[in-house]
Amino acid sequence: GAVETLASPACQTYISRVRKAMDACQIPVVYWDVDEVRRRLPYVSTRSYFPPRKVDDEAFGEDNGSDIVGMLFCAQAGYVNDPQLATRNIADAAMRRGGEFRWRAHVKRINRDGSGRKVT
């Protein structure tokens, strides 16, 4: 997993809080500058897509014209910097493929068959 970082003081404060939370949970995290990101993950774009956008935003999926300055790398954890937006995007993707998405529903089991998966 990774957390994008920007050069702004507000973002650096946020990243510092994330790092402290990871440390408190004893989750190893390492800061990589953009050169280290490119060296270790040459297949990953270093373009910045901040701020997060909804899928119906005309600029969704477009970079903001700059590169990230670095990132926190956490080999043992995944990280979503905007869980509400990520959930909305997953719901939209499921519905575009014919799925049904129910907010505030509990997943009881995942049934698997030859044609795919159905959550009940």
Side-chain angles (χ1 to χ4, degrees), residues 37-81:
V37 173
R38 289 179 181 138
R39 187 180 75 74
R40 291 181 179 249
L41 306 171
Y43 48 86
V44 171
S45 171
T46 55
R47 301 303 290 167
S48 175
Y49 293 86
F50 186 84
R53 296 178 177 94
K54 293 183 178 182
V55 293
D56 60 353
D57 185 321
E58 289 185 23
F60 180 79
E62 298 293 326
D63 66 65
N64 66 18
S66 63
D67 281 330
I68 61 172
V69 297
M71 64 185 261
L72 294 179
F73 178 77
C74 180
Q76 296 179 350
Y79 182 83
V80 175
N81 67 353

Side-chain angles (χ1 to χ4, degrees), residues 14 20 22 28 32 51:
Y14 172 74
K20 286 178 185 175
M22 299 292 246
W32 291 348

Side-chain angles (χ1 to χ4, degrees), residues 3-59:
V3 179
E4 180 179 319
T5 64
L6 301 173
S8 75
C11 191
Q12 291 301 314
T13 298
Y14 172 74
I15 294 303
S16 175
R17 289 181 184 154
V18 169
R19 189 166 194 166
K20 286 178 185 175
M22 299 292 246
D23 289 345
C25 294
Q26 298 179 344
I27 300 170
V29 63
V30 179
Y31 178 80
W32 291 348
D33 65 20
V34 71
D35 291 332
E36 188 70 8
V37 173
R38 289 179 181 138
R39 187 180 75 74
R40 291 181 179 249
L41 306 171
Y43 48 86
V44 171
S45 171
T46 55
R47 301 303 290 167
S48 175
Y49 293 86
F50 186 84
R53 296 178 177 94
K54 293 183 178 182
V55 293
D56 60 353
D57 185 321
E58 289 185 23

